[in-house]
Amino acid sequence: MKPFAVDRVNAICAALFIGFGACFALQSLGLEIGTAFRMGPGYFPLVLAIVLILLGAIILVQAVRFDSSEPIGHIAWRGMLFILPAPIFFGLTVRGLGFIPSIFLTALIASFASSRMKPLTALALSAGLTLFAFLVFSYALGLPFRRFGPWLPL
């Protein structure tokens, strides 16, 4: 009989998913939930938290069923250094710089998470993403936002 084994990497991921999902679910319960047809401000965060908990449970079941016995690899510090601050930068600058410069700079920051990213490729990727976001949010969805903010002398 095979001894009980748990894939540590997937178990840690599952614990993080379940923990973050539970935290967000508890926070969303402080808001008005509403119904599926009349959603309150807490409805969507609660649904996403439940999905996160369910994904964590699925990963946990897989971690218990299959033991890959692989050690936890190195931590991608470069990725965390560039990916994690990017949305924070966007949130802090979107009102001052405006939507277009903030999206461009956020994409530029995040693109350097890969050590293989070249500066010219990062600029092209950021410009393409900015154009796409502008077309989708401004023209397709018609969302009212400032394209360029008061920090820029335009």
Side-chain angles (χ1 to χ4, degrees), residues 117-147:
M117 180 64 70
K118 304 283 189 257
L120 193 58
T121 308
L123 288 171
L125 179 69
S126 300
L129 181 66
T130 302
L131 178 64
F132 176 75
F134 173 70
L135 292 174
V136 168
F137 292 111
S138 183
Y139 290 111
L141 296 176
L143 297 178
F145 55 80
R146 294 182 79 164
R147 292 180 180 129

Side-chain angles (χ1 to χ4, degrees), residues 90 93-105 145-152:
F90 178 79
T93 61
V94 69
R95 288 191 180 165
L97 288 176
F99 184 75
I100 292 175
S102 291
I103 284 283
F104 179 80
L105 291 173
F145 55 80
R146 294 182 79 164
R147 292 180 180 129
F148 295 96
W151 293 353
L152 300 174

Side-chain angles (χ1 to χ4, degrees), residues 10-25 48-60:
N10 283 340
I12 291 170
C13 290
L16 287 173
F17 275 36
I18 293 170
F20 281 124
C23 179
F24 285 118
L48 288 180
I50 291 170
V51 168
L52 195 60
I53 292 170
L54 289 175
L55 287 173
I58 291 169
I59 293 171
L60 186 60

Side-chain angles (χ1 to χ4, degrees), residues 21-138:
C23 179
F24 285 118
L26 289 174
Q27 292 295 320
S28 69
L29 292 176
L31 301 170
E32 182 184 340
I33 303 297
T35 65
F37 293 110
R38 283 198 159 277
M39 295 180 196
Y43 185 87
F44 192 65
L46 180 62
V47 169
L48 288 180
I50 291 170
V51 168
L52 195 60
I53 292 170
L54 289 175
L55 287 173
I58 291 169
I59 293 171
L60 186 60
V61 168
Q62 293 294 323
V64 173
R65 288 180 56 201
F66 303 109
D67 180 24
S68 68
S69 298
E70 293 180 19
I72 297 175
H74 74 284
I75 298 174
W77 292 109
R78 181 184 176 107
M80 288 194 308
L81 180 68
F82 286 104
I83 294 291
L84 294 177
I88 296 169
F89 174 82
F90 178 79
L92 292 174
T93 61
V94 69
R95 288 191 180 165
L97 288 176
F99 184 75
I100 292 175
S102 291
I103 284 283
F104 179 80
L105 291 173
T106 300
L108 190 64
I109 291 168
S111 67
F112 286 107
S114 171
S115 60
R116 295 181 289 182
M117 180 64 70
K118 304 283 189 257
L120 193 58
T121 308
L123 288 171
L125 179 69
S126 300
L129 181 66
T130 302
L131 178 64
F132 176 75
F134 173 70
L135 292 174
V136 168
F137 292 111
S138 183

